Amino acid sequence: MKIKVINGPNLNMFGVRQPETYGATTLEQINQALARLGEELGIGSLEFFQSNIEGEIVEAIQQSHKRIDGILINPAAYGHTSIAIRDALLAVSIPFVEVHASNIYKREEFRHKTYLSDIAEGVITGFSADSYLLGLRALHTILKNKTS
Ligand code: DQA
């Protein structure tokens, strides 16, 4: 099982950026925790990608075609704006789980809609770094059930 973890803009600033909203954990720490959980769950390969650039995220999704079984994505602000990222996910038809560290429904109205949530397997929002771990567990279960 191959899973790619994709993080969008400003998430490289986790730990520094608005800690009252996003927590104190850095992206590096989140990735390390995901790698540990991946081993525990027996996920063969976990790849990590972060970019502040929309087109690079589109490329990373396209390059996953026929290579990656599932995507865990925090699209960050692009989730609220990017039809291109939605289209890339539809193009590769790779099952994905959308995660957010903050609870987007508790925040400004413009964060309540994302262009990914209606095509995601599911959305986890509001549990800080744990959103990622919960998301990985959910994605792993979904992929396991698809192959069995
Ligand atoms: C976020 C929520 C988005 O609204 C915001 O633009 C982010 C981070 C989150 O993880 O809570 O950059 O995706």
Side-chain angles (χ1 to χ4, degrees), residues 3-140:
I3 291 180
K4 191 164 182 113
V5 180
I6 298 180
N7 276 288
N10 299 308
L11 301 183
N12 54 317
M13 299 292 283
F14 270 159
V16 174
R17 173 190 187 203
Q18 296 171 273
E20 66 290 356
T21 303
Y22 296 115
T25 314
T26 65
L27 188 58
E28 187 53 38
Q29 289 166 334
I30 291 173
N31 288 346
Q32 283 167 4
L34 285 171
R36 281 196 296 274
L37 180 60
E39 270 181 32
E40 198 183 294
L41 295 173
I43 295 169
S45 153
L46 208 51
E47 291 178 12
F48 299 97
F49 178 82
Q50 189 276 330
S51 175
N52 295 320
I53 299 167
E54 185 178 13
E56 287 185 357
I57 297 170
V58 169
E59 292 276 355
I61 294 166
Q62 288 184 8
Q63 284 161 9
S64 302
H65 187 46
K66 295 206 188 293
R67 217 176 51 76
I68 295 288
D69 302 306
I71 293 177
L72 184 68
I73 184 166
N74 184 346
Y78 286 146
H80 312 301
T81 62
S82 179
I83 297 169
I85 292 175
R86 175 190 175 91
D87 284 351
L89 287 161
L90 285 171
V92 296
S93 36
I94 296 172
F96 73 92
V97 170
E98 176 182 356
V99 300
H100 298 277
S102 65
N103 180 352
I104 57 173
Y105 300 107
K106 253 185 163 175
R107 303 182 63 196
E108 304 95 322
E109 199 158 344
F110 64 83
R111 296 187 202 273
H112 295 184
K113 177 188 161 57
T114 89
Y115 280 104
L116 306 190
S117 49
D118 65 310
I119 56 165
E121 298 289 326
V123 182
I124 296 174
T125 185
F127 301 98
S128 306
D130 279 347
S131 290
Y132 287 84
L133 300 174
L134 293 165
L136 185 63
R137 281 187 190 278
L139 186 58
H140 172 252

